[in-house]
């Protein structure tokens, strides 16, 4: 198993990673300036019609517009962080040895799956922000959100292991 980014020569991953990081960071700016981004997470994790209805009903018209705007900006995040996490997995696999190194493609595809789950979650978010909080949207959206968050754990742990391996190799 491999990934397309596995074919990129060592040292050249940053040519893709740096622009992806810039896009990701720029896409974070509106979340610091507009509305209450924690409301998006509350809606992502609502899990039921009644809870989703309660959340959406609690928003003013202006807050609903803010959430719609932030949701639009949020469409960039899975693309940017998905690419960054795949790069991190490929890079970490190059730092690690033996069996740990062989996990890089699996971890990279987990990063892709997390981004896809986020994009699918975003569909449910748009539907619910527009006011349709009936089944199955809250449940499906929450399932995709949880799947996304669960996949982050091994991907980030693998990247951290790569950093530790790199630091150890540099100090040894």
């Amino acid at each position: 198993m491999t990934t397309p980014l596995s074919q990129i020569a060592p040292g050249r991953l940053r040519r893709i990673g740096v622009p992806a990081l810039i896009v990701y960071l720029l896409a974070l700016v509106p979340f610091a300036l507009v509305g209450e981004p924690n409301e998006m997470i509350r809606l992502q994790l609502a899990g039921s019609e009644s809870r989703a209805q309660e959340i959406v009903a609690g928003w003013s018209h202006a807050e609903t517009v803010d959430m719609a705007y932030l949701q639009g900006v949020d469409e960039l995040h899975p693309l940017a962080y998905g690419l960054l996490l795949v790069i991190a997995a490929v890079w970490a696999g190059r730092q690690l040895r033996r069996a740990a190194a062989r996990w890089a493609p699996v971890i990279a595809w987990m990063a892709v799956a997390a981004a896809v789950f986020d994009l699918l979650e975003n569909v449910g978010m748009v539907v619910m922000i527009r006011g349709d909080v009936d089944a199955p949207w809250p449940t499906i959206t929450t399932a995709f959100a949880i799947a996304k968050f669960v996949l982050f754990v091994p991907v980030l742990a693998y990247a951290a292991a790569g950093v530790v391996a790199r630091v150890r190799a540099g100090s040894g």
Side-chain angles (χ1 to χ4, degrees), residues 24-139:
Y24 181 76
L25 293 174
L26 288 173
L28 284 178
V29 172
F31 287 87
L33 303 174
V34 176
E36 298 288 332
N38 62 326
E39 287 293 303
M40 290 182 70
I41 294 171
R42 286 182 62 222
L43 187 57
Q44 288 171 359
L45 300 176
S48 70
E49 289 178 67
S50 61
R51 183 72 180 123
Q53 178 62 41
E54 177 186 320
I55 292 166
V56 173
W59 295 343
S60 68
H61 175 72
E63 289 169 324
T64 302
V65 171
D66 288 348
M67 290 304 107
Y69 171 72
L70 290 177
Q71 186 58 50
V73 171
D74 193 48
E75 297 299 322
L76 292 173
H77 287 130
L79 304 175
Y81 79 65
L83 184 55
L84 288 170
L85 291 176
V86 169
I87 290 168
V90 169
W91 178 85
R94 292 175 181 173
Q95 308 310 307
L96 298 165
R97 300 289 172 246
R98 295 182 291 280
R102 290 191 293 271
W103 278 94
V106 173
I107 299 296
W109 285 111
M110 289 172 78
V112 171
V116 168
F117 286 143
D118 197 351
L119 290 168
L120 293 170
E121 165 205 304
N122 287 346
V123 172
M125 289 293 290
V126 168
V127 170
M128 290 190 298
I129 289 169
R130 292 180 52 138
D132 183 1
V133 292
D134 296 329
W137 293 110
T139 305

Side-chain angles (χ1 to χ4, degrees), residues 1-13:
M1 177 184 295
T2 187
T3 68
L5 295 181
S6 300
Q7 308 307 313
I8 297 174
R12 299 208 176 214
L13 285 175

